[in-house]
Amino acid sequence: VAAAPYGDPAIAAMSIVGRIFMLILSAMLGFGQGYQPVIGFNYGARKPDRLMKTMRLAVTYAVSIMIIGMILFWAFTKQLLGIFNASEQMLAIGIPALRIISLSFLLAGFDIIIISVMQALGHGVISLIISMMRQLVVLLPAAFLFSKIWGLGAVWIAFPLAECVSLCVTLLFWRKVYRNEIQPLYNAER
């Protein structure tokens, strides 16, 4: 929607960037889904140390993978876009887009893991709220607004902005869940 007024090259570039972005994001979502049973098992077994250790490892791996993805996206931007036979006009739009959007990777790894932890602990609604906050409440309106005010180049800033807002909301929810559900498990061990 935000790229439509800028013509077909902008729409095509946004499409390509979206596909490349989803490649790494899909891997992260799969990673998050893969360790959910371990979190759920340790929560059910009332083993907070193992739960937190698993979560810390998952966050470490996820953030590391996302940082590597961001570095690759910065180092090989033109080559990644070239896979899709991007024209010079599409490259002019896509290179800055991919680089700016990849900045959101720094926070997305942590966010995705915490969302998965929430699901493993039985808080699917919280996961839904956080995901909707990122996509519907912040990203789409910000992209639309930025395109109207500052043009196409500013649309990409909506991605890191949405991730920042999502991270803040995630941390608020995590704090509450930790205090109410995980901290009491430690107290019960004593």
Side-chain angles (χ1 to χ4, degrees), residues 64-98:
S64 299
I65 290 167
M66 295 303 263
I67 288 171
I68 291 167
M70 186 187 80
I71 291 168
L72 291 173
F73 280 23
W74 275 78
F76 301 105
T77 314
K78 190 172 182 178
Q79 292 84 348
L80 288 168
L81 292 168
I83 293 169
F84 296 91
N85 294 323
S87 68
E88 285 302 315
Q89 197 174 12
M90 288 166 51
L91 287 173
I93 296 167
I95 289 173
L98 194 55

Side-chain angles (χ1 to χ4, degrees), residues 115-182:
I115 287 171
S116 294
V117 169
M118 296 293 190
Q119 289 173 343
L121 298 179
H123 295 291
V125 173
I126 292 175
S127 296
L128 178 65
I129 290 168
I130 294 168
S131 295
M132 287 181 61
M133 177 67 63
R134 177 192 292 126
Q135 298 294 320
L136 299 176
V137 176
V138 180
L139 180 62
L140 293 177
F144 180 77
L145 185 65
F146 292 175
S147 74
K148 295 294 181 194
I149 296 172
W150 296 297
L152 181 63
V155 168
W156 321 124
I157 297 168
F159 286 84
L161 173 67
E163 213 56 63
C164 286
V165 171
S166 179
L167 179 65
C168 291
V169 172
T170 300
L171 290 173
L172 289 173
F173 279 122
W174 172 245
R175 183 176 177 195
K176 181 180 178 192
V177 167
Y178 183 82
R179 281 185 178 172
N180 294 339
E181 296 178 29
I182 297 172

